[in-house]
Coordinates of all heavy atoms in Angstrom, one line a residue:
M1 N 133.8 80.4 110.9 CA 132.7 81.2 110.5 C 132.7 81.4 109.0 O 133.8 81.9 108.5 CB 132.6 82.5 111.3 CG 131.4 83.3 111.1 SD 131.3 84.8 112.1 CE 130.8 84.2 113.7
S2 N 131.7 81.2 108.3 CA 131.7 81.4 106.9 C 131.5 82.9 106.5 O 131.1 83.7 107.4 CB 130.6 80.6 106.3 OG 129.3 81.2 106.5
Q3 N 131.7 83.2 105.2 CA 131.6 84.5 104.8 C 130.1 85.0 104.9 O 129.9 86.2 105.3 CB 132.0 84.6 103.3 CG 131.8 86.0 102.7 CD 132.7 87.0 103.3 OE1 133.8 86.7 103.7 NE2 132.2 88.3 103.4
I4 N 129.2 84.1 104.7 CA 127.7 84.5 104.8 C 127.4 84.9 106.2 O 126.7 85.9 106.5 CB 126.8 83.3 104.3 CG1 127.0 83.1 102.8 CG2 125.4 83.6 104.7 CD1 126.3 81.9 102.3
E5 N 127.9 84.1 107.2 CA 127.6 84.4 108.6 C 128.2 85.8 109.0 O 127.7 86.5 109.8 CB 128.2 83.3 109.5 CG 127.4 82.0 109.4 CD 128.0 80.9 110.1 OE1 129.3 80.9 110.3 OE2 127.3 80.0 110.5
R6 N 129.4 86.1 108.4 CA 130.0 87.4 108.8 C 129.3 88.6 108.2 O 129.3 89.7 108.7 CB 131.5 87.4 108.3 CG 132.4 86.6 109.1 CD 133.8 86.8 108.8 NE 134.1 86.4 107.4 CZ 134.7 85.3 107.1 NH1 135.1 84.4 108.0 NH2 135.0 85.0 105.8
D7 N 128.6 88.3 107.1 CA 127.8 89.4 106.4 C 126.4 89.7 106.9 O 125.8 90.7 106.6 CB 127.7 89.1 104.9 CG 129.1 89.2 104.2 OD1 130.0 89.8 104.7 OD2 129.1 88.6 103.1
L8 N 126.0 88.8 107.8 CA 124.6 89.0 108.4 C 124.6 90.1 109.4 O 125.6 90.2 110.2 CB 124.1 87.6 109.0 CG 123.9 86.5 108.0 CD1 123.6 85.2 108.8 CD2 122.8 86.8 107.0
P9 N 123.5 90.8 109.5 CA 123.4 91.8 110.6 C 123.4 91.2 111.9 O 123.1 90.0 112.1 CB 122.0 92.5 110.3 CG 121.6 92.1 108.9 CD 122.4 90.8 108.6
A10 N 123.8 92.0 112.9 CA 124.0 91.4 114.3 C 122.6 90.9 114.8 O 122.6 89.9 115.6 CB 124.5 92.5 115.2
D11 N 121.5 91.5 114.5 CA 120.2 91.1 115.0 C 119.5 90.2 114.1 O 118.3 90.0 114.3 CB 119.4 92.4 115.3 CG 119.0 93.1 114.0 OD1 119.7 92.9 113.0 OD2 118.1 94.0 114.1
Y12 N 120.2 89.6 113.2 CA 119.5 88.7 112.2 C 118.8 87.5 112.9 O 117.7 87.2 112.5 CB 120.6 88.1 111.2 CG 120.0 87.1 110.2 CD1 119.3 87.6 109.1 CD2 120.2 85.8 110.4 CE1 118.8 86.8 108.2 CE2 119.6 84.9 109.5 CZ 119.0 85.4 108.4 OH 118.4 84.5 107.4
S13 N 119.4 86.9 113.9 CA 118.8 85.7 114.5 C 117.5 86.1 115.3 O 116.6 85.4 115.3 CB 119.8 85.0 115.4 OG 120.2 85.8 116.5
D14 N 117.6 87.3 115.9 CA 116.4 87.8 116.6 C 115.2 88.1 115.6 O 114.1 87.7 115.8 CB 116.7 89.1 117.4 CG 117.6 88.8 118.6 OD1 117.6 87.7 119.0 OD2 118.2 89.8 119.0
A15 N 115.6 88.7 114.5 CA 114.6 89.0 113.4 C 114.0 87.7 112.9 O 112.8 87.6 112.7 CB 115.2 89.8 112.3
L16 N 114.9 86.7 112.7 CA 114.4 85.4 112.1 C 113.5 84.7 113.1 O 112.4 84.2 112.7 CB 115.6 84.5 111.8 CG 115.4 83.2 111.1 CD1 114.7 83.5 109.7 CD2 116.7 82.5 110.9
L17 N 113.8 84.8 114.4 CA 113.0 84.2 115.4 C 111.6 84.9 115.5 O 110.6 84.2 115.6 CB 113.6 84.3 116.8 CG 112.9 83.7 118.0 CD1 112.7 82.2 117.8 CD2 113.6 84.0 119.3
T18 N 111.6 86.2 115.4 CA 110.3 86.9 115.3 C 109.5 86.5 114.1 O 108.3 86.3 114.3 CB 110.6 88.5 115.3 OG1 111.4 88.8 116.5 CG2 109.3 89.3 115.2
L19 N 110.1 86.4 113.0 CA 109.4 86.0 111.8 C 108.8 84.6 111.9 O 107.6 84.4 111.6 CB 110.3 86.1 110.6 CG 110.7 87.5 110.1 CD1 111.7 87.4 109.0 CD2 109.5 88.3 109.7
K20 N 109.6 83.7 112.5 CA 109.1 82.3 112.7 C 107.9 82.3 113.7 O 106.9 81.6 113.4 CB 110.2 81.5 113.3 CG 111.3 81.1 112.3 CD 112.3 80.2 112.9 CE 113.4 79.8 111.9 NZ 114.4 78.9 112.5
E21 N 108.0 83.1 114.7 CA 106.8 83.2 115.7 C 105.6 83.7 115.0 O 104.5 83.3 115.2 CB 107.2 84.1 116.9 CG 108.2 83.4 117.8 CD 108.8 84.3 118.9 OE1 108.5 85.5 118.8 OE2 109.5 83.8 119.7
L22 N 105.7 84.8 114.1 CA 104.6 85.3 113.4 C 104.0 84.3 112.5 O 102.7 84.1 112.4 CB 105.0 86.5 112.6 CG 105.3 87.8 113.3 CD1 105.9 88.8 112.4 CD2 104.1 88.3 114.0
I23 N 104.8 83.5 111.8 CA 104.3 82.5 110.9 C 103.6 81.4 111.7 O 102.5 81.0 111.3 CB 105.5 81.9 110.1 CG1 106.0 82.9 109.1 CG2 105.1 80.6 109.4 CD1 107.3 82.6 108.5
H24 N 104.2 80.9 112.8 CA 103.5 79.9 113.5 C 102.2 80.3 114.1 O 101.2 79.6 114.2 CB 104.5 79.3 114.6 CG 105.6 78.6 114.1 ND1 106.9 78.7 114.5 CD2 105.7 77.6 113.1 CE1 107.7 77.9 113.9 NE2 107.0 77.2 113.0
G25 N 102.2 81.6 114.6 CA 100.9 82.1 115.1 C 99.8 82.2 114.1 O 98.7 81.8 114.3
A26 N 100.2 82.7 112.9 CA 99.2 82.7 111.8 C 98.8 81.3 111.4 O 97.6 81.1 111.1 CB 99.8 83.5 110.6
Q27 N 99.7 80.4 111.3 CA 99.3 79.0 111.0 C 98.3 78.4 112.0 O 97.3 77.8 111.7 CB 100.5 78.1 110.9 CG 101.4 78.4 109.7 CD 102.7 77.6 109.7 OE1 103.2 77.3 110.7 NE2 103.2 77.3 108.5
H28 N 98.6 78.7 113.3 CA 97.7 78.2 114.4 C 96.3 78.8 114.3 O 95.3 78.1 114.4 CB 98.4 78.5 115.7 CG 97.6 78.0 116.9 ND1 97.5 76.7 117.2 CD2 96.8 78.6 117.8 CE1 96.8 76.5 118.2 NE2 96.3 77.7 118.6
R29 N 96.3 80.1 114.0 CA 95.0 80.8 113.9 C 94.2 80.2 112.7 O 93.0 80.0 112.7 CB 95.1 82.3 113.7 CG 95.5 83.0 115.0 CD 95.4 84.5 114.9 NE 96.2 85.1 113.8 CZ 97.5 85.3 113.9 NH1 98.2 85.1 115.0 NH2 98.1 85.9 112.8
A30 N 94.9 80.0 111.6 CA 94.3 79.4 110.4 C 93.7 78.0 110.7 O 92.6 77.7 110.2 CB 95.3 79.4 109.2
Q31 N 94.5 77.2 111.4 CA 94.0 75.9 111.7 C 92.8 75.9 112.6 O 91.9 75.1 112.4 CB 95.1 75.1 112.4 CG 96.3 74.7 111.6 CD 97.5 74.2 112.3 OE1 97.6 74.3 113.6 NE2 98.4 73.6 111.6
R32 N 92.7 76.8 113.5 CA 91.6 77.0 114.4 C 90.4 77.4 113.6 O 89.2 76.9 113.8 CB 91.8 77.9 115.5 CG 92.7 77.4 116.6 CD 92.8 78.2 117.9 NE 92.3 79.5 117.8 CZ 93.0 80.6 118.2 NH1 94.2 80.5 118.6 NH2 92.4 81.8 118.1
M33 N 90.5 78.3 112.7 CA 89.4 78.7 111.8 C 88.9 77.6 111.0 O 87.7 77.4 110.8 CB 89.8 79.9 110.9 CG 90.1 81.2 111.7 SD 90.7 82.5 110.7 CE 89.2 82.9 109.8
V34 N 89.8 76.8 110.4 CA 89.4 75.7 109.6 C 88.6 74.7 110.4 O 87.6 74.1 110.1 CB 90.6 75.0 108.9 CG1 90.2 73.7 108.3 CG2 91.1 76.0 107.8
N35 N 89.2 74.4 111.6 CA 88.5 73.4 112.5 C 87.1 73.9 112.9 O 86.2 73.1 112.9 CB 89.3 73.2 113.8 CG 90.6 72.4 113.5 OD1 90.7 71.7 112.5 ND2 91.5 72.5 114.4
T36 N 87.0 75.2 113.2 CA 85.7 75.7 113.5 C 84.7 75.6 112.4 O 83.5 75.2 112.5 CB 85.8 77.2 113.9 OG1 86.7 77.3 115.0 CG2 84.5 77.9 114.2
A37 N 85.1 75.9 111.1 CA 84.3 75.8 110.0 C 83.9 74.3 109.8 O 82.7 74.0 109.4 CB 85.0 76.3 108.7
M38 N 84.8 73.4 110.0 CA 84.5 72.0 109.8 C 83.5 71.5 110.8 O 82.5 70.7 110.5 CB 85.7 71.1 109.8 CG 86.7 71.4 108.7 SD 86.0 71.2 107.0 CE 85.6 69.4 107.0
V39 N 83.6 71.9 112.1 CA 82.6 71.5 113.1 C 81.3 72.1 112.8 O 80.3 71.4 112.9 CB 83.1 72.0 114.5 CG1 82.0 71.9 115.5 CG2 84.3 71.2 114.9
E40 N 81.2 73.3 112.3 CA 79.9 73.9 111.9 C 79.3 73.1 110.7 O 78.1 72.9 110.7 CB 80.2 75.4 111.5 CG 78.9 76.1 111.2 CD 79.1 77.6 110.8 OE1 80.2 78.1 111.2 OE2 78.3 78.2 110.2
L41 N 80.1 72.8 109.8 CA 79.7 72.0 108.6 C 79.1 70.7 109.1 O 77.9 70.3 108.7 CB 80.8 71.7 107.6 CG 80.5 70.7 106.5 CD1 79.4 71.2 105.6 CD2 81.8 70.3 105.8
Y42 N 79.8 69.9 109.9 CA 79.3 68.6 110.4 C 78.0 68.8 111.2 O 77.1 68.0 111.2 CB 80.4 67.9 111.2 CG 81.6 67.5 110.3 CD1 82.9 67.6 110.9 CD2 81.5 67.2 109.0 CE1 84.0 67.3 110.1 CE2 82.6 66.9 108.2 CZ 83.8 66.9 108.8 OH 84.9 66.6 108.0
W43 N 78.0 69.9 112.0 CA 76.8 70.1 112.9 C 75.6 70.3 111.9 O 74.5 69.8 112.2 CB 77.0 71.4 113.7 CG 75.9 71.7 114.6 CD1 74.9 72.5 114.3 CD2 75.7 71.2 115.9 NE1 74.0 72.6 115.4 CE2 74.5 71.8 116.4 CE3 76.4 70.3 116.8 CZ2 74.0 71.5 117.7 CZ3 75.9 70.1 118.0 CH2 74.7 70.7 118.5
N44 N 75.8 71.1 110.9 CA 74.7 71.4 110.0 C 74.2 70.1 109.2 O 73.0 69.9 109.0 CB 75.0 72.5 109.0 CG 75.0 73.9 109.7 OD1 74.3 74.1 110.6 ND2 75.9 74.7 109.3
I45 N 75.2 69.3 108.8 CA 74.9 68.1 108.1 C 74.0 67.2 109.1 O 73.0 66.6 108.6 CB 76.2 67.4 107.7 CG1 76.8 68.1 106.5 CG2 75.9 65.9 107.3 CD1 78.2 67.6 106.1
G46 N 74.5 67.1 110.3 CA 73.7 66.3 111.3 C 72.3 66.8 111.5 O 71.4 66.0 111.6
R47 N 72.2 68.1 111.6 CA 70.9 68.8 111.8 C 69.9 68.4 110.6 O 68.8 68.1 110.8 CB 71.0 70.3 112.0 CG 69.7 71.0 112.2 CD 69.9 72.5 112.4 NE 70.8 73.1 111.3 CZ 70.3 73.4 110.1 NH1 69.1 73.2 109.7 NH2 71.2 73.9 109.2
I48 N 70.5 68.6 109.4 CA 69.7 68.3 108.2 C 69.2 66.8 108.2 O 68.1 66.5 107.9 CB 70.4 68.7 106.9 CG1 70.5 70.2 106.9 CG2 69.8 68.1 105.7 CD1 71.5 70.7 105.8
I49 N 70.1 65.9 108.5 CA 69.8 64.5 108.5 C 68.7 64.2 109.6 O 67.8 63.5 109.3 CB 71.1 63.7 108.8 CG1 72.0 63.7 107.6 CG2 70.7 62.2 109.2 CD1 73.4 63.1 107.9
L50 N 68.8 64.8 110.7 CA 67.8 64.6 111.8 C 66.5 65.1 111.4 O 65.4 64.6 111.7 CB 68.3 65.2 113.1 CG 69.3 64.5 113.9 CD1 69.8 65.3 115.1 CD2 68.8 63.1 114.3
E51 N 66.4 66.3 110.7 CA 65.2 66.9 110.3 C 64.5 66.0 109.2 O 63.3 66.1 109.1 CB 65.4 68.3 109.7 CG 65.8 69.3 110.8 CD 66.2 70.6 110.2 OE1 66.3 70.8 108.9 OE2 66.4 71.6 111.0
R52 N 65.2 65.3 108.4 CA 64.6 64.5 107.4 C 64.4 63.1 107.8 O 63.9 62.3 107.2 CB 65.5 64.6 106.1 CG 65.5 66.1 105.7 CD 66.2 66.3 104.5 NE 66.2 67.8 104.3 CZ 66.3 68.4 103.2 NH1 66.3 67.7 102.1 NH2 66.3 69.7 103.1

């Protein structure tokens, strides 16, 4: 075991796992929002093309 590993708090791995889950959740929500915006954009482009 290295010196760094001995100096880490006992719950460090749990805290790290929680942080990773929060990051992945936020990334997933951001991706869904972008996908929704892109679908809306393409829908509007198609509507404008059909109207003209």
Side-chain angles (χ1 to χ4, degrees):
M1 184 177 283
S2 73
Q3 179 64 34
I4 293 174
E5 291 172 331
R6 285 192 295 260
D7 292 341
L8 294 175
D11 64 343
Y12 179 78
S13 62
D14 291 336
L16 190 59
L17 181 62
T18 299
L19 293 174
K20 287 180 179 181
E21 290 172 350
L22 286 171
I23 291 167
H24 289 137
Q27 288 173 333
H28 184 71
R29 286 190 307 276
Q31 289 169 347
R32 286 194 342 236
M33 291 177 71
V34 169
N35 287 343
T36 299
M38 293 305 295
V39 167
E40 184 178 342
L41 169 65
Y42 296 144
W43 181 270
N44 287 326
I45 288 171
R47 182 180 49 79
I48 290 168
I49 290 171
L50 282 174
E51 289 173 355
R52 298 187 185 207

